[in-house]
Amino acid sequence: MRAGPSQEEIRRHNLGALLRHVHLGGPTSRAELTSRMGLNRSTIMALTSDLTAAGLVREELPRETGRAGRPSLVVRPESSRVYVFAFDLGPDRLVVARVGLGGVILDRREAVRRRGAFDLDEVVGALAGFARQMHRKTRADTVCVGAAAAVAGGVRKSDGVVRYGPNLLAVDVPFGEALSKKLALGLPVSVGNDANLGALAEHTRGVGAAVRDLIYLHGDVGVGGGVIAGGHLLGGHEGFGGEVGHMVVHPGGRLCGCGSHGCLEAEVGERALLEAAGRAPDGPAEGPLGRDAVRAVVDAADRGDIVAQDALSRVGDWLGLGVANLVNIFNPEMVIFGGMLREIYLGAAAQVRSRLAVDALPAHRERLRLRTSALADDATLVGAAELAFAHVLADPLEALARAGG
Amino acid sequence: MRAGPSQEEIRRHNLGALLRHVHLGGPTSRAELTSRMGLNRSTIMALTSDLTAAGLVREELPRETGRAGRPSLVVRPESSRVYVFAFDLGPDRLVVARVGLGGVILDRREAVRRRGAFDLDEVVGALAGFARQMHRKTRADTVCVGAAAAVAGGVRKSDGVVRYGPNLLAVDVPFGEALSKKLALGLPVSVGNDANLGALAEHTRGVGAAVRDLIYLHGDVGVGGGVIAGGHLLGGHEGFGGEVGHMVVHPGGRLCGCGSHGCLEAEVGERALLEAAGRAPDGPAEGPLGRDAVRAVVDAADRGDIVAQDALSRVGDWLGLGVANLVNIFNPEMVIFGGMLREIYLGAAAQVRSRLAVDALPAHRERLRLRTSALADDATLVGAAELAFAHVLADPLEALARAGG
């Protein structure tokens, strides 16, 4: 119910909107920006000149267009100059990337993470160490404008505390604060749930780019979710929204890491699949854990292994029920399977679809599209980069000034 | 990614924001509007004078304030002059109300609806008949600015078609179009799902007025839901969002009107409760259907009837599981029980809370508030009125001009 914006707010909004265009859409001619943003040419020229002066974009003559007349200058993001740090903390791996404006991954480091008790110092030390290595290699004229992390857990939005993370064995960990301190670049580190950020990534740069209502399901040991509703990420009251992995689909079913029984995560997570396939570490045919173990079951099913096929079919059935519930609740245009759920969905699409046919309301499923993640294993990392850029796109000049650029 | 608003758009926005203040907050002094809207006094004066000239508000001297100095004029909505028609189509009743700006119910009619095959002509005839009776009684200087209906079914937002309504036995009914034609006031009739509009009503005028993330659960034969996420109603891709009654909570459970088994609606709806209590029409102790029958079970349980207590406890347990799932998925600040779920929740709060303690993640339930509807049986009707007023609050002068006011 607040009043309309001031002229200065409008200018900031327009600067952010223009920068978002080239950040997400890549190099764009002034003429195209004029038509897409519905502003006149002189306004676009003033905006690009402000952004150019700040070193956020540069303007170039386009390559030969073949058309007569004076060509329109192309505006491109200063990807190698302006960047963020994106972190990804999953159950099995740590990833850090230096991501330039425009979404270009300029540099990255990755390490295997051993499962077991959560050691904040160790995790933060490894992540910050990688980032500082990369930071030292940058040229003097570059500027780091932000940092953000994707974490496999429930993150309180007010302070970046990881309230819970059953698959990290993390409880009430002040992760954002600790990482920011260790990073020692004078930057706060925003923190988000990995699946929420995966949803954001697929919505901005992936298979759901033009889709305003989508659900991203992320499998990585457990099952997480991120929901884009009406073009906005569903955050919930404290930032825990989209935690669909702990929807109970099978009352009295398998014990879940959260303490309940029959959660979607308990019925379709890594352990459920490996146990059903007799491949859990304590099962008859001892095997490894992780993404490779899941892939091995899907591959075995593909080659005709009946035990693997049955396991995949059982997991696919529960996955289908979970998806049907979400389709009824959210009426999304698209459901995207990411992380290890990509493999599981590809191996069990028939079960998923047949559950949908039974349990999803016809009006909700008729126009529904089921897709696999376009960004694959980088979805959560790309989402973290977008979170880190968010304040730059909201107010470019102010953000750059604060970063000392 | 569009550009910022023009001066004219800002003026319209401000006119709408001011009108929304007095529509929802009641008579408000100019001084208070100035401080709440963050605009200067001359702008507020210009806006109120435009709205006064259009006959949407009037300004009055306040009653004796007891304070020295010139009192600030009070701006109040022209409730008796500017009104909408609100319709409510439930399984058991038809309601029509004439609702004045400011949310005042000026006049209303209600009729019992017999269950059975859906007869569009009959329903539309009755609703439009009531509205026209009321319309004829209005003074010549009044102006009807909109009309909207709440319907117990899934409503496609693009055209107001009721795609499904298991408890109305309605399928693909062009309800909005038919009612608008029969009404013959030259007005389109917006249509929304009853529980969605109940959520909107509780969010604007009820127990969830200051709450940005809430879930409203509406019981009326079946179970519907409406979700306010980040201050906005969850619509979904085609408008069917919030259909939580068809979340499967009990795979292989009771047959649902939608064709699936074990939906929340099938396990906690009217028939589930009455059957468990042995009071369904085809049960041992034949009883009536409807809200009164549900109340009778809750009353009997309250008086110590063990069969009724068991029935309520069973239904409360499934309701609690459904709520736990929604709390995990949405991380709401508040869950509101409306319609017949008010009685059921009041009679089975212990079961609901104990399910939540087991199945909802601690971080999600710690700050959760469970409440009953403040608007009681009028929640869906009040929501329809708000839907009808929406375009007036978006652009007051244009809406009034179109209505011929």
Side-chain angles (χ1 to χ4, degrees):
Chain A
M1 280 206 257
R2 60 183 290 274
S6 67
Q7 283 301 307
E8 175 56 24
E9 284 171 322
I10 293 175
R11 179 172 156 271
R12 287 178 196 211
H13 171 93
N14 285 341
L15 283 168
L18 197 157
L19 190 60
R20 181 181 293 272
H21 263 291
V22 299
H23 172 65
L24 294 178
T28 312
S29 72
R30 275 197 200 165
E32 222 172 314
L33 289 168
T34 304
S35 101
R36 282 207 212 150
M37 293 180 64
L39 294 170
N40 59 42
R41 282 172 56 189
S42 60
T43 305
I44 293 289
M45 198 149 59
L47 295 171
T48 53
S49 122
D50 283 355
L51 292 173
T52 303
L56 286 159
V57 303
R58 66 173 186 280
E59 295 185 279
E60 288 175 350
L61 277 172
R63 292 158 196 243
E64 187 55 61
T65 59
R67 271 185 277 167
R70 200 170 55 146
S72 177
L73 287 174
V74 165
V75 183
R76 53 173 73 230
E78 282 281 16
S79 300
S80 58
R81 182 177 178 265
V82 179
Y83 70 94
V84 296
F85 279 116
F87 302 91
D88 190 5
L89 164 53
D92 292 332
R93 64 171 196 166
L94 303 172
V95 191
V96 187
R98 204 162 69 79
V99 182
L101 192 64
V104 189
I105 295 184
L106 302 166
D107 199 355
R108 69 183 286 161
R109 301 282 189 284
E110 185 164 339
V112 169
R113 178 177 178 268
R114 279 173 299 107
R115 295 189 188 177
F118 188 82
D119 183 331
L120 179 62
D121 286 343
E122 192 183 307
V123 167
V124 159
L127 291 171
F130 282 153
R132 296 198 59 84
Q133 276 176 27
M134 290 189 261
H135 185 67
R136 279 193 296 272
K137 285 173 53 189
T138 59
R139 293 197 322 257
D141 68 336
T142 60
V143 54
C144 178
V145 292
V151 176
V155 178
R156 185 163 58 203
K157 69 181 164 198
S158 57
D159 58 7
V161 164
V162 179
R163 284 296 318 277
Y164 57 90
N167 301 310
L168 295 173
L169 303 179
V171 178
D172 288 326
V173 174
F175 180 70
E177 193 189 322
L179 182 54
S180 170
K181 202 169 162 190
K182 196 77 181 177
L183 202 55
L185 293 174
L187 283 174
V189 178
S190 304
V191 186
N193 169 267
D194 57 353
N196 278 358
L197 294 177
L200 195 64
E202 293 291 342
H203 177 59
T204 49
R205 297 187 176 279
V207 67
V211 178
R212 289 176 58 80
D213 293 276
L214 65 81
I215 297 174
Y216 172 78
L217 294 174
H218 185 69
D220 189 3
V221 185
V223 172
V227 178
I228 305 288
H232 298 283
L233 182 67
L234 179 87
H237 180 43
E238 292 189 88
F240 308 125
E243 199 61 86
V244 305
H246 298 284
M247 161 175 61
V248 174
V249 290
H250 185 193
R254 293 171 55 88
L255 179 65
C256 183
C258 75
S260 177
H261 284 81
C263 295
L264 182 64
E265 165 161 326
E267 302 295 343
V268 313
E270 175 189 294
R271 181 157 284 274
L273 180 70
L274 297 183
E275 279 186 18
R279 290 168 182 240
D282 42 7
E286 284 214 6
L289 290 167
R291 197 78 59 96
D292 289 341
V294 170
R295 277 200 195 101
V297 175
V298 177
D299 288 347
D302 209 33
R303 288 193 312 269
D305 179 327
I306 289 176
V307 177
Q309 283 174 349
D310 282 355
L312 202 53
S313 158
R314 195 151 101 191
V315 163
D317 197 52
W318 288 119
L319 179 59
L321 179 60
V323 172
N325 279 354
L326 295 173
V327 165
N328 287 341
I329 293 170
F330 287 100
N331 180 213
E333 185 177 350
M334 183 181 285
V335 174
I336 304 168
F337 299 93
M340 71 160 197
L341 286 180
R342 254 182 317 150
E343 279 86 28
I344 289 179
Y345 171 67
L346 291 172
Q351 278 73 32
V352 172
R353 289 186 177 277
S354 87
R355 263 285 149 222
L356 273 170
V358 173
D359 294 318
L361 293 158
H364 293 232
R365 68 174 137 81
E366 276 164 10
R367 288 153 181 271
L368 176 70
R369 290 182 286 164
L370 303 179
R371 293 286 184 275
T372 54
S373 162
L375 301 164
D377 289 346
D378 279 346
T380 53
L381 185 74
V382 169
E386 290 308 314
L387 178 60
F389 276 121
H391 71 119
V392 181
L393 302 178
D395 192 348
L397 304 188
E398 168 67 19
L400 202 68
R402 241 183 297 148
Chain B
M1 279 206 259
R2 59 184 292 276
S6 68
Q7 284 300 310
E8 175 55 24
E9 283 170 323
I10 292 175
R11 180 172 156 272
R12 285 177 197 210
H13 170 92
N14 284 342
L15 283 170
L18 198 157
L19 190 59
R20 181 182 293 274
H21 263 290
V22 298
H23 173 63
L24 294 178
T28 312
S29 73
R30 276 197 200 165
E32 222 173 314
L33 290 168
T34 303
S35 102
R36 284 208 210 147
M37 293 181 64
L39 293 171
N40 58 43
R41 283 172 54 190
S42 61
T43 306
I44 292 290
M45 198 150 58
L47 294 171
T48 52
S49 121
D50 282 356
L51 292 174
T52 303
L56 286 160
V57 303
R58 67 173 186 278
E59 295 185 279
E60 288 175 351
L61 276 172
R63 292 158 196 241
E64 189 53 63
T65 61
R67 272 184 277 171
R70 200 169 54 147
S72 176
L73 286 176
V74 165
V75 182
R76 54 174 70 231
E78 282 280 16
S79 300
S80 58
R81 181 177 179 264
V82 179
Y83 71 94
V84 297
F85 279 115
F87 301 91
D88 190 4
L89 164 54
D92 292 331
R93 62 172 198 166
L94 304 173
V95 191
V96 186
R98 203 163 70 78
V99 182
L101 191 64
V104 188
I105 295 184
L106 301 167
D107 199 356
R108 70 182 286 163
R109 300 281 188 286
E110 186 165 338
V112 170
R113 179 179 176 267
R114 279 173 299 106
R115 295 190 188 176
F118 188 82
D119 183 332
L120 180 61
D121 287 342
E122 191 183 307
V123 166
V124 159
L127 292 171
F130 282 152
R132 296 197 58 84
Q133 275 177 26
M134 290 188 261
H135 185 66
R136 278 193 296 272
K137 284 173 53 188
T138 58
R139 292 197 323 257
D141 68 336
T142 61
V143 52
C144 177
V145 292
V151 176
V155 179
R156 185 162 60 203
K157 68 180 166 199
S158 58
D159 58 7
V161 164
V162 179
R163 284 297 316 279
Y164 56 89
N167 301 311
L168 295 173
L169 303 180
V171 178
D172 288 326
V173 174
F175 179 70
E177 194 190 321
L179 181 54
S180 170
K181 201 168 160 191
K182 196 78 181 176
L183 202 54
L185 294 174
L187 285 173
V189 178
S190 303
V191 187
N193 169 267
D194 56 353
N196 279 358
L197 294 177
L200 195 65
E202 292 292 340
H203 177 58
T204 49
R205 298 188 176 276
V207 68
V211 178
R212 289 176 59 79
D213 293 278
L214 66 81
I215 297 173
Y216 172 79
L217 295 174
H218 185 70
D220 190 4
V221 184
V223 173
V227 179
I228 304 288
H232 297 283
L233 183 68
L234 178 89
H237 180 42
E238 293 189 88
F240 308 126
E243 200 59 86
V244 305
H246 298 284
M247 161 174 61
V248 174
V249 290
H250 184 195
R254 293 170 55 86
L255 178 65
C256 184
C258 76
S260 178
H261 285 82
C263 295
L264 182 62
E265 165 162 325
E267 302 294 344
V268 313
E270 173 189 294
R271 180 158 285 274
L273 180 71
L274 297 183
E275 279 186 17
R279 291 167 182 241
D282 42 7
E286 283 214 7
L289 290 168
R291 197 77 59 94
D292 289 341
V294 169
R295 276 200 196 104
V297 175
V298 177
D299 288 347
D302 209 35
R303 287 193 312 267
D305 179 327
I306 289 177
V307 177
Q309 283 174 349
D310 282 355
L312 202 52
S313 157
R314 195 151 104 191
V315 163
D317 198 53
W318 288 119
L319 179 60
L321 180 60
V323 171
N325 279 354
L326 296 173
V327 164
N328 287 341
I329 293 171
F330 287 100
N331 180 210
E333 184 178 349
M334 184 181 284
V335 174
I336 303 167
F337 298 92
M340 69 161 199
L341 286 180
R342 254 184 315 151
E343 278 85 28
I344 290 179
Y345 172 68
L346 290 173
Q351 279 73 32
V352 172
R353 289 187 176 276
S354 86
R355 264 284 149 222
L356 273 169
V358 173
D359 294 318
L361 293 158
H364 294 232
R365 70 174 137 82
E366 276 163 10
R367 289 154 180 272
L368 176 69
R369 289 182 285 163
L370 302 180
R371 292 287 183 275
T372 53
S373 162
L375 300 165
D377 289 346
D378 278 345
T380 52
L381 184 75
V382 168
E386 291 307 315
L387 177 60
F389 276 119
H391 71 119
V392 181
L393 302 178
D395 193 347
L397 304 188
E398 168 67 20
L400 202 68
R402 241 184 297 148

